[in-house]
Amino acid sequence: MIDKDLMAASSRPLILTILSQHESYGYEIIKKIHELSNDEIQWKDGMLYPVLHKLEKEGCIESFVKISETGRKRKYYRIKSEGTKLLETQRKQWNVVNSVFNLLMEKKPCLS
Amino acid sequence: MFELDKNIENWVNEFKANQSMQNSDIDELESHLRDSIAELQKKGLSPEESFWVARQRLGDTTMLVNEFAHVNRALLWRKRIFWLLSGYFLVTTISYLAKFCALPIHFISLPWLSTQAYTFNVHYFLPVSLFIFVLFVAGAVLMIIATQKDIVPGKRFRFFHFFTGLKVGYKFVFILLGFYLFILSGKFFSLMFLVKNSSPAMAGNLSEAEAFFSILWNAFLFITLVIFTIQLQKNKHESVSID
């Protein structure tokens, strides 16, 4: 299970990445994250929405209502150009952290 | 027998009792809960089991409300100011009403209360109006308590929930004091303006003018209240356009 702070930091790039592939709604996003992480990432489902709303307020994503297959209204989200830009910088930052981490963890041959 | 819809409704009402959630937020959460329940039922869980599992997965109500409060901070403040302003107008209206009711009492009888029964006496006038004021307030409080009694469990009276919702008590006192200072400062500055712009000969008219400015100030506050009401109403009916 992944630490709370790390989860909070990674939630935005994760959501943006999913939305950059296709428009989606809360339940689908959280399902995808659960599946891809083999349930290692365990958000409380509801915590996703404040993050989504914040991203929407910042102009990174936008929402619209569609009628779902069950006939109920469902709020969908899609990424905007602001969001794509943010995702790009966040991806770069993650890559830097990731590569530093990998280099540090690399097993050096023991000379003695 | 487990009633799924009724349980969902109760769960939704827990959120509705809170000021920091917009209706669209609650709809979204409900939609999520129903999706989750439907999927769990497909996997073979009973309606009751799937409701509780889905509910647990969504997270604790208080925690969610707090998270939403962070995002909807502006809305929360608009609602707080709305309540404070309506409270202010309720109290001023009651106090004017109390004074109005005290007037005939003063002129008609109760001479034993006054030293000069048939002349206008502030020392007598004040306690009577104060007494009526307290009566009105007590009546209002009793009415609120009475309305709270016959409420379905889980569906709390909103006004009370607003106060209990503020976890840190001093935060609320702080807001109240700030608001009181704000009201007073308006009156104070209008008075300052008057004193500065009037000659000593006009000193007698000062209180009249002060009353006039206080009416202006109240009118300004009232307009603010109307604006906030309209904005909150808009927020309530806010719906996203269908693509």
Side-chain angles (χ1 to χ4, degrees):
Chain A
M1 177 126 173
I2 289 181
D3 177 61
K4 210 176 106 215
D5 289 335
L6 182 60
M7 206 52 253
S10 56
S11 61
R12 289 158 71 95
L14 282 178
I15 291 169
L16 285 174
T17 313
I18 291 173
L19 289 179
S20 72
Q21 288 159 1
H22 55 83
E23 58 189 42
S24 187
Y25 56 97
Y27 185 70
E28 202 178 56
I29 295 173
I30 208 95
K31 219 171 91 180
K32 194 156 191 179
I33 292 175
H34 281 316
E35 274 170 20
L36 291 178
S37 70
N38 288 324
D39 283 333
E40 277 297 306
I41 293 181
Q42 285 188 341
W43 273 344
K44 284 288 173 207
D45 292 7
M47 300 298 269
L48 173 79
Y49 292 100
V51 185
L52 278 171
H53 294 173
K54 208 150 181 235
L55 281 168
E56 190 183 0
K57 252 182 201 174
E58 289 166 10
C60 295
I61 59 176
E62 60 185 350
S63 66
F64 56 101
V65 172
K66 250 195 198 174
I67 307 294
S68 68
E69 62 275 12
T70 51
R72 271 185 287 115
K73 270 190 192 171
R74 190 180 271 155
K75 204 170 168 189
Y76 276 76
Y77 295 89
R78 74 174 146 236
I79 199 161
K80 284 168 78 178
S81 58
E82 265 316 289
T84 322
K85 267 185 233 160
L86 180 73
L87 178 60
E88 205 40 57
T89 50
Q90 293 207 328
R91 195 177 280 158
K92 272 180 200 155
Q93 287 168 4
W94 272 96
N95 281 340
V96 172
V97 174
N98 197 27
S99 66
V100 171
F101 199 66
N102 283 341
L103 285 172
L104 285 172
M105 293 299 280
E106 239 171 53
K107 280 190 184 118
K108 302 247 166 64
C110 189
L111 295 172
S112 61
Chain B
M1 185 63 202
F2 180 79
E3 291 172 74
L4 185 61
D5 281 323
K6 199 162 186 334
N7 273 278
I8 293 176
E9 196 187 314
N10 283 344
W11 179 80
V12 165
N13 282 335
E14 273 179 52
F15 291 107
K16 282 200 175 146
N18 201 286
Q19 298 285 322
S20 62
M21 308 273 289
Q22 273 168 274
N23 283 354
S24 62
D25 299 340
I26 300 170
D27 288 345
E28 204 176 16
L29 284 179
E30 188 188 343
S31 165
H32 188 118
L33 187 80
R34 285 183 185 274
D35 280 337
S36 193
I37 288 171
E39 187 153 329
L40 288 165
Q41 277 185 304
K42 256 188 226 157
K43 284 181 182 162
L45 264 69
S46 74
E48 185 169 5
E49 283 168 330
S50 44
F51 170 75
W52 288 107
V53 173
R55 195 192 145 130
Q56 198 271 335
R57 279 191 187 166
L58 255 169
D60 178 49
T61 318
T62 345
M63 177 198 73
L64 285 176
V65 163
N66 286 339
E67 283 303 313
F68 273 95
H70 281 299
V71 184
N72 293 340
R73 198 168 281 160
L75 175 76
L76 201 62
W77 275 100
R78 272 210 293 275
K79 281 186 178 171
R80 276 178 191 165
I81 292 171
F82 168 77
W83 281 115
L84 284 171
L85 276 177
S86 12
Y88 170 72
F89 277 108
L90 191 73
V91 170
T92 28
T93 313
I94 291 174
S95 78
Y96 277 124
L97 219 64
K99 275 180 199 162
F100 186 72
C101 294
L103 213 61
I105 295 175
H106 164 74
F107 281 117
I108 291 164
S109 64
L110 298 179
W112 48 272
L113 256 174
S114 168
T115 43
Q116 301 156 287
Y118 297 104
T119 48
F120 190 77
N121 185 352
V122 179
H123 299 290
Y124 160 58
F125 184 61
L126 211 64
V128 176
S129 73
L130 198 71
F131 176 69
I132 295 175
F133 177 72
V134 169
L135 265 186
F136 273 127
V137 172
V141 170
L142 278 177
M143 257 172 66
I144 293 173
I145 292 169
T147 46
Q148 213 195 9
K149 258 187 180 173
D150 47 21
I151 282 173
V152 204
K155 231 182 186 177
R156 285 256 203 95
F157 188 57
R158 274 189 166 208
F159 192 71
F160 267 123
H161 214 91
F162 164 71
F163 286 114
T164 48
L166 292 166
K167 266 182 191 164
V168 204
Y170 69 81
K171 206 177 182 184
F172 177 66
V173 174
F174 180 75
I175 295 168
L176 208 65
L177 278 177
F179 183 71
Y180 191 62
L181 277 178
F182 172 69
I183 300 274
L184 276 187
S185 66
K187 291 193 170 164
F188 176 74
F189 282 119
S190 63
L191 195 66
M192 284 287 285
F193 172 78
L194 280 173
V195 172
K196 208 179 154 212
N197 289 294
S198 56
S199 61
M202 280 168 67
N205 298 329
L206 218 63
S207 73
E208 246 175 65
E210 199 261 329
F212 173 71
F213 272 91
S214 124
I215 287 172
L216 277 188
W217 176 237
N218 275 354
F220 165 73
L221 287 175
F222 185 71
I223 291 165
T224 323
L225 179 69
V226 170
I227 291 170
F228 273 98
T229 316
I230 292 169
Q231 274 200 329
L232 285 176
Q233 213 58 29
K234 249 195 224 159
N235 237 318
K236 223 183 235 174
H237 301 301
E238 190 186 68
S239 61
V240 201
S241 64
I242 293 172
D243 257 39

